Amino acid sequence: MASLLTIDNFSLTFLGAEGDVSPVLNNINLQIEAGETHALVGESGSGKSVTALSILRLLEDTNQVKSSGSMLFEGQELTALNPKEIRAIRGNRIAMIFQEPMTSLNPVYTIGNQLIEPLLLHQSLSKAEAYQRALQLLERTGIDNPEYRINCYPHQLSGGQRQRVIIAMALACRPKLLIADEPTTALDVTIQDQILHLISDIQAEYGMSVLLITHDLPMVRKIADTVSIMHGGKIVEQGAVNEIFSRPQQDYTRHLLAAVPQGVQPTRPGGPKLIAMQDVNCSFTMKSEWSGFFNRSKRVIKAVDQVSLSLNQGTTLGLVGESGSGKSTLALCLLGLTRYDGKVFYFPEAGTSHCLSDLTNSQFRPLRKELQIVFQDPFSSLSPRMTIEQIITEGLQVHGLGGAKEERRLLVEQALRDVELDPALAGRFPHEFSGGQRQRIAIARAIILRPKLLILDEPTSALDMTIQKQILELLRNLQERYQLTYIFITHDLRTVRSLADQLAVMRHGRIVESGPAAAIFANPQDPYTRRLFDAAFHVTERMEKTA
């Protein structure tokens, strides 16, 4: 029986305005059978997303491209279709889930309007019929209260809910092939697990095939049947998942598999206490519905609820939990960037002890150089109008450090060497760097001030596996060199398991379990912690034992 999708010796080149050419894909060959999940895996820039976009021929509208080879879908040659014919296939027989739902959904239209559109376009339903089908799709994809949600705008939904809406839109016309491009990258571990189960359940119900594009190798082991490994626009290895993961033949495949964080960080006692938090509380008041003609009721959300934690100098505290659990808000409290109740002590056992919660802004300001943060998305946290040298120097200027201009330039060069970047790049702008390089620049901006505490808020979640490994190795080296103390905020439990000495698990603003990371990973006590670990580890580790 013929495969659902057969790609045969497909190559693609971008044509520049001045006649220059950029080969992107080189002799791609892969087959997807009916009902199968095929994973396309590789580092950023390897050609995964370009391959997916080429199947739907979405590149031709915005780029000049030249392609060769064949793409057969249900026996139909996709490369030979005219624009009207390929539009009839998009969203109808082949649908796609894009990586970032917030940018995939139109912010000025309701969820209902966007969900009904493909039903009207491809299914020839009346508006009333399309509305009822849209409600059914929202309910089927696990959206609570669909009658209310259908009239919401994208910004009114959580990340997991937005991703479910994207899945509902993709499934509206019951496609034969679903292309899922990094469908869980920005989601926490339990929501990831829910989305993956949802896709698998609907795949079985519809008899649908899935092309999964990802750099998350543990996810591939969970749900894929076959896998293709991409590098430099080529497929370097492909086959059954168990075979590739247990007996990889190519060096590049082994390199990718070795990048998955493994093992447990042995607990280090560290130095004296650096931070001690006692009964920290942070609440936000949200306006809700009108309760009378002039009155609007208010809802109080406890983002951080009675949190007490401490960490020793030179160690790493892993702070984990689902989105909305209060992790980032707790970090903002510690940095004095949001109001809170309770006490935060800095060097509580030393003669230089400070109660940070009692300091005014002017009193706190000299300490800020010692308490730094690296954010999740370096591209949005680095000014696009400043050179790398200006970005890294800014902290020195604010705190009056580093001496004259030439001395500061030398400090910037050393900071770039510390993060393994060439100092000759200091005159460039952020957009000229890759995601991993930008994250190194963000780290350099923080460590040039020689902080005592560095808060890392999801520093590797947007990076592929090999770049993640490089950044984690860099952080370990910097911690040892400068005796840094880390608070590592993440939903990636494999990463935090390999890095953290202490672990704190947050849920609904509270710490539900804390202690030595190795002990908690070996024997979690709280049901919520066990549920988190089940979502992150157990399916994959069972497969590893079987293999």
Side-chain angles (χ1 to χ4, degrees):
M1 189 175 74
S3 301
L4 179 72
L5 176 70
T6 300
I7 300 177
D8 185 22
N9 287 326
F10 184 81
S11 299
L12 183 133
T13 300
F14 285 110
L15 304 177
E18 298 179 1
D20 52 324
V21 296
S22 300
V24 181
L25 301 178
N26 187 8
N27 292 329
I28 301 297
N29 293 278
L30 68 84
Q31 291 185 339
I32 301 178
E33 307 297 332
E36 177 187 52
T37 297
H38 186 90
L40 200 54
V41 177
E43 296 174 286
S44 297
S46 61
K48 307 185 302 294
S49 294
V50 173
T51 301
L53 294 172
S54 298
I55 294 171
L56 289 169
R57 289 176 52 189
L58 290 171
L59 295 169
E60 300 169 17
D61 296 334
T62 55
N63 301 273
Q64 277 193 305
V65 297
K66 180 182 178 181
S67 64
S68 62
S70 170
M71 286 191 176
L72 281 176
F73 177 72
E74 294 185 317
Q76 191 172 17
E77 180 57 62
L78 297 178
T79 62
L81 300 181
N82 63 42
K84 183 178 179 180
E85 291 169 333
I86 194 64
R87 278 197 299 269
I89 288 177
R90 292 175 190 158
N92 191 23
R93 292 160 61 195
I94 305 176
M96 187 165 182
I97 301 171
F98 293 95
Q99 181 171 354
E100 177 46 64
M102 194 59 183
T103 56
S104 302
L105 294 168
N106 193 319
V108 300
Y109 289 103
T110 66
I111 296 303
N113 286 335
Q114 298 179 67
L115 191 51
I116 287 169
E117 183 181 13
L119 295 169
L120 296 176
L121 183 65
H122 293 295
Q123 300 291 298
S124 301
L125 301 179
S126 68
K127 286 188 176 181
E129 291 171 331
Y131 179 83
Q132 290 302 316
R133 178 78 67 83
L135 285 176
Q136 293 169 5
L137 285 165
L138 290 177
E139 185 175 8
R140 177 64 189 86
T141 51
I143 297 287
D144 61 306
N145 197 2
E147 292 83 2
Y148 169 73
R149 301 294 181 192
I150 200 169
N151 295 312
C152 290
Y153 290 88
H155 71 273
Q156 296 175 289
L157 304 181
S158 69
Q161 288 172 327
R162 287 194 291 265
Q163 194 63 287
R164 290 174 186 273
V165 169
I166 290 291
I167 293 171
M169 291 173 64
L171 299 176
C173 300
R174 294 195 170 222
K176 293 292 185 181
L177 174 64
L178 176 66
I179 301 173
D181 190 358
E182 301 279 8
T184 63
T185 295
L187 305 177
D188 62 61
V189 63
T190 52
I191 304 300
Q192 282 186 16
D193 199 49
Q194 293 169 18
I195 294 297
L196 292 178
H197 275 104
L198 173 63
I199 292 174
S200 296
D201 289 347
I202 295 176
Q203 179 183 12
E205 180 182 331
Y206 290 1
M208 179 177 65
S209 299
V210 175
L211 175 60
L212 175 67
I213 297 170
T214 185
H215 61 252
D216 188 338
L217 295 173
M219 182 204 301
V220 171
R221 294 204 70 168
K222 283 184 181 183
I223 68 170
D225 302 303
T226 54
V227 60
S228 293
I229 308 294
M230 286 198 75
H231 179 57
K234 300 179 181 179
I235 291 178
V236 297
E237 189 166 1
Q238 62 185 186
V241 165
N242 285 343
E243 183 69 23
I244 296 294
F245 276 69
S246 59
R247 288 179 290 276
Q249 301 299 309
Q250 299 296 318
D251 290 340
Y252 179 72
T253 308
R254 288 191 283 268
H255 169 68
L256 274 186
L257 294 174
V260 179
Q262 302 290 341
V264 179
Q265 165 71 36
T267 302
R268 299 167 296 180
K273 272 194 175 59
L274 181 71
I275 293 289
M277 292 174 270
Q278 295 179 1
D279 298 327
V280 173
N281 293 277
C282 180
S283 300
F284 299 103
T285 301
M286 308 287 289
K287 292 180 180 179
S288 56
E289 67 277 354
W290 293 97
S291 57
F293 191 75
F294 293 108
N295 296 322
R296 195 173 188 178
S297 62
K298 295 181 179 180
R299 185 162 59 103
V300 176
I301 297 175
K302 278 196 170 184
V304 177
D305 189 6
Q306 293 292 111
V307 168
S308 296
L309 279 176
S310 65
L311 66 156
N312 293 350
Q313 195 169 4
T315 63
T316 299
L317 169 68
L319 196 56
V320 302
E322 296 173 292
S323 298
S325 61
K327 306 185 300 294
S328 295
T329 304
L330 183 61
L332 295 178
C333 293
L334 178 56
L335 295 171
L337 297 176
T338 190
R339 292 183 178 181
Y340 63 94
D341 298 320
K343 297 290 184 182
V344 177
F345 296 98
Y346 182 53
F347 279 114
E349 299 170 340
T352 56
S353 175
H354 294 278
C355 183
L356 301 181
S357 47
D358 292 341
L359 300 181
T360 64
N361 284 337
S362 59
Q363 292 170 329
F364 202 134
R365 193 170 295 119
L367 295 175
R368 291 198 182 281
K369 65 180 180 296
E370 300 179 18
L371 307 170
Q372 290 290 302
I373 187 168
V374 174
F375 295 99
Q376 178 175 358
D377 182 3
F379 195 64
S380 61
S381 65
L382 301 176
S383 172
R385 298 182 179 182
M386 298 170 68
T387 65
I388 301 311
E389 181 176 359
Q390 291 169 333
I391 288 170
I392 298 175
T393 306
E394 188 177 23
L396 297 175
Q397 295 171 333
V398 167
H399 292 286
L401 302 173
K405 185 176 180 179
E406 185 57 35
E407 293 174 289
R408 288 175 178 166
R409 179 175 287 115
L410 293 175
L411 289 174
V412 170
E413 290 179 1
Q414 181 57 48
L416 288 172
R417 290 192 190 96
D418 282 341
V419 296
E420 300 168 7
L421 288 177
D422 185 352
L425 302 174
R428 296 188 180 183
F429 291 87
H431 72 273
E432 299 179 75
F433 294 87
S434 68
Q437 289 174 321
R438 286 196 290 263
Q439 197 60 286
R440 290 174 187 269
I441 292 163
I443 294 169
R445 177 176 61 179
I447 65 166
I448 197 171
L449 298 172
R450 297 295 180 263
K452 304 293 185 187
L453 174 69
L454 186 58
I455 297 174
L456 302 156
D457 193 355
E458 301 278 10
T460 61
S461 64
L463 307 176
D464 61 54
M465 283 289 180
T466 53
I467 305 301
Q468 280 186 26
K469 184 179 181 181
Q470 293 169 17
I471 295 296
L472 293 177
E473 285 297 322
L474 172 66
L475 291 171
R476 288 190 185 96
N477 294 337
L478 290 173
Q479 185 173 43
E480 184 176 344
R481 188 180 310 159
Y482 295 121
Q483 283 301 295
L484 296 172
T485 305
Y486 293 151
I487 295 180
F488 197 91
I489 299 172
T490 185
H491 61 250
D492 186 342
L493 295 175
R494 287 179 175 272
T495 295
V496 82
R497 183 174 65 171
S498 68
L499 194 70
D501 303 287
Q502 300 291 317
L503 187 70
V505 182
M506 289 194 74
R507 187 188 188 201
H508 301 326
R510 284 183 168 268
I511 301 292
V512 298
E513 189 165 357
S514 65
I520 293 177
F521 277 107
N523 186 24
Q525 299 299 307
D526 190 85
Y528 174 72
T529 309
R530 289 196 292 269
R531 193 160 70 248
L532 275 183
F533 290 0
D534 282 343
F537 299 123
H538 287 188
V539 173
T540 304
E541 289 180 352
R542 279 198 298 271
M543 292 179 70
E544 288 169 354
K545 289 175 183 177
T546 303

